[in-house]
């Protein structure tokens, strides 16, 4: 696994052979972070980030490397969490990353925290995958002005959901990007938004 850019750029780590995650390809990861860097001034804003279904932690480490003030990584598999913990220690970034060993879907429902950037990379074959963006959009995870990105296969189209901004495809890897307005849209009630998500 390679960290692409930033203060930890070009650092490489050997991923365990028995890991079960499907890491985002270097090509896709580099391109989606190029998009993000045009939307966020990482150096000046030092945003907080949440990495749901963190897997190997490649996205989390890229967030840290680019300048996020703090990253929270959610992953339930022991092999992956042990690897993330090992890499964080080697980077000397234990104060900058909170690792939660647990189910990402339960975290979405239960968390009271909110973040500047939320990234989700669920397994493509996860039952109920199509409902995940709606769950995140209706959760407390997103604060005004935040960005939500979900990685998915080409069979999904989330452009009908509230706050959809853009779709990017890099090979077989697709990203849907959502921008949460800085202020609540007073012309639409929470009920209207929930109704749109459910449709």
């Amino acid at each position: 696994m390679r960290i692409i850019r930033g203060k930890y750029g070009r650092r490489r780590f050997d991923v365990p052979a028995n890991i079960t995650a499907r890491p985002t390809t270097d090509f896709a990861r580099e391109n989606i972070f190029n998009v993000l860097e045009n939307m966020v001034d990482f150096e000046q804003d030092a945003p907080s980030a949440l990495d749901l279904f963190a897997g190997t932690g490649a996205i989390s480490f890229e967030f840290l490397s680019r300048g996020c003030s703090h990253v929270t990584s959610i992953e339930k598999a022991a092999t992956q969490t042990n690897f993330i913990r090992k890499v964080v220690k080697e980077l000397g970034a234990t104060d900058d990353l909170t690792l939660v060993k647990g189910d990402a879907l339960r975290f979405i429902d239960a968390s009271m925290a909110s973040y500047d950037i939320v990234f989700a990379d669920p397994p493509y074959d996860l039952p109920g995958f199509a409902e995940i963006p709606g769950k995140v959009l209706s959760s407390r995870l997103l604060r005004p002005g935040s960005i939500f990105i979900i990685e998915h296969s080409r069979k999904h189209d989330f452009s009908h959901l509230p706050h959809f901004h853009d779709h990017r495809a890099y090979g077989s890897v697709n990203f849907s990007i959502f921008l949460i307005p800085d202020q609540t849209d007073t012309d639409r009630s929470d009920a209207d938004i929930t109704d749109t998500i459910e449709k």
Side-chain angles (χ1 to χ4, degrees):
M1 182 193 74
R2 174 173 69 99
I3 299 175
I4 296 168
R5 280 182 53 190
K7 62 182 177 181
Y8 304 126
R10 299 176 182 256
R11 295 284 297 272
R12 292 179 179 272
F13 301 90
D14 293 328
V15 176
N18 61 337
I19 211 153
T20 56
R22 170 196 41 76
T24 304
T25 64
D26 283 4
F27 175 69
R29 184 157 38 99
E30 181 169 16
N31 278 282
I32 195 61
F33 270 91
N34 287 341
V35 172
L36 269 173
E37 286 188 329
N38 286 321
M39 301 168 70
V40 179
D41 187 335
F42 282 90
E43 235 175 75
Q44 181 173 319
D45 298 339
S48 61
L50 172 65
D51 185 9
L52 295 165
F53 307 93
T56 62
I59 295 293
S60 294
F61 301 134
E62 206 68 47
F63 276 132
L64 283 179
S65 189
R66 306 282 174 131
C68 280
S69 58
H70 194 85
V71 177
T72 301
S73 304
I74 316 299
E75 174 57 48
K76 69 177 181 179
T79 303
Q80 282 90 286
T81 54
N82 289 337
F83 177 71
I84 293 172
R85 195 174 290 112
K86 171 180 174 289
V87 172
V88 168
K89 188 174 180 181
E90 289 184 26
L91 292 175
T94 53
D95 292 337
D96 302 322
L97 185 144
T98 298
L99 175 60
V100 178
K101 185 178 184 298
D103 184 86
L105 295 177
R106 291 183 182 175
F107 185 88
I108 293 168
D109 291 335
S111 178
M112 301 295 288
S114 59
Y115 304 86
D116 298 310
I117 307 172
V118 174
F119 185 96
D121 179 15
Y124 287 179
D125 59 353
L126 185 71
F129 186 108
E131 282 74 54
I132 293 173
K135 284 173 68 72
V136 173
L137 288 166
S138 60
S139 73
R140 301 179 184 89
L141 299 176
L142 297 166
R143 59 175 56 134
S146 62
I147 300 169
F148 167 46
I149 299 175
I150 183 164
E151 179 179 332
H152 57 89
S153 68
R154 62 171 60 92
K155 76 176 186 178
H156 292 291
D157 178 2
F158 298 119
S159 60
H160 64 287
L161 292 178
H163 313 309
F164 176 81
H165 173 70
D166 198 5
H167 168 262
R168 298 294 180 105
Y170 306 106
S172 62
V173 180
N174 291 252
F175 298 98
S176 287
I177 305 169
F178 300 82
L179 297 183
I180 309 305
D182 284 330
Q183 295 182 340
T184 303
D185 184 351
T186 54
D187 295 331
R188 297 190 66 196
S189 66
D190 290 342
D192 292 332
I193 293 174
T194 301
D195 182 60
T196 304
I197 289 171
E198 289 176 349
K199 287 178 183 178

